[in-house]
Amino acid sequence: MNASPENQRTLLDIADLDRRIAQTERARTKPSQAGRITELVAIRQEQLRELTSLAGTRDDVRTELKRLESDVAVVEARRNRDAERLAASTNSKDAQALEHELASLARRQSDLEDAELDVMGRLEEAEAALAAQQALLDTTTAEGSALTAQAKADVAAAIELGAQLARDRAAVAEGVAPELLAEYARRAANSAGAALLTRGTCEGCRILLPSTDLNDIRRAADDLVVSCPECGCILVRTEESGLA
């Protein structure tokens, strides 16, 4: 294939635009925050499970405390009732029975209040553990929200830049012969498409070409489209190609 040296050099601009367009596409589909966001989703799910477990423990302790408070209230009411009966009693036998019952109720109330204090301590610990876990969850959620917002902004910027680059590419491609552009597109599917030959090295694959290949390129006409024997991209020749 033959194409003017100017058209061939224009392919370098198109190749650069294609590279930048590919970068914006990666930024659009795979923002840099995606990996950490995925990690945070898993962390948050585990933290939520732990939070639910701790909330269940806290609720169980609260239920136990309410039961003890109810039992204490029942014992207190019975003690007050027996105390009133004792104060009104004129029968010594009944009075003695009431005194024994009051003593028993006092011990029962003391035991219940001791248990109540123990449960109150456990409730305080459970609430502290729940608050600490909630703080961890809040931190994870805040980081995830911030990263998600930044990722959305980056994706939007990538979409905008990609659209601008596509317009630039279309404008540049208008000046290239359709046959050459089609050949570039075919090669770009498996290589850089087009690259400079710099001091005997293909900038597409970064390989120094053998002297025999360089001699063939040196003898080629300026308008002949030559290829890298290693990666197959179109080699664009300039004064820096090392062919003189």
Side-chain angles (χ1 to χ4, degrees), residues 49-79:
R49 283 193 289 269
E50 180 64 17
L51 186 71
T52 300
S53 176
L54 290 171
T57 300
R58 186 274 315 273
D59 292 344
D60 289 344
V61 177
R62 279 181 173 176
T63 299
E64 185 178 357
L65 182 59
K66 287 180 180 179
R67 180 183 60 77
L68 286 170
E69 289 173 342
S70 177
D71 289 348
V72 169
V74 169
V75 171
E76 284 182 336
R78 188 170 178 181
R79 285 185 68 190

Side-chain angles (χ1 to χ4, degrees), residues 12 20 27-28 37 50 81 95 143 147 172 175 200 217 220:
L12 296 176
R20 294 169 64 191
R28 183 187 70 81
I37 289 173
E50 180 64 17
R81 186 190 63 207
E143 183 182 355
L147 286 175
V172 173
I217 295 172

Side-chain angles (χ1 to χ4, degrees), residues 79-148:
R79 285 185 68 190
N80 291 335
R81 186 190 63 207
D82 285 354
E84 291 174 358
R85 289 175 60 193
L86 179 60
S89 177
T90 57
N91 186 301
S92 60
K93 186 175 181 180
D94 290 343
Q96 186 177 18
L98 287 169
E99 287 174 351
H100 283 304
E101 184 171 347
L102 282 168
S104 176
L105 288 171
R107 289 192 296 272
R108 172 61 176 162
Q109 183 172 346
S110 177
D111 290 343
L112 287 172
E113 288 174 345
D114 287 344
E116 193 175 18
L117 288 173
D118 178 69
V119 173
M120 289 173 66
R122 286 163 49 205
L123 179 59
E124 184 177 349
E125 292 175 357
E127 289 178 337
L130 186 62
Q133 186 65 22
Q134 183 64 59
L136 285 176
L137 180 62
D138 291 344
T139 298
T140 300
T141 300
E143 183 182 355
S145 297
L147 286 175
T148 299

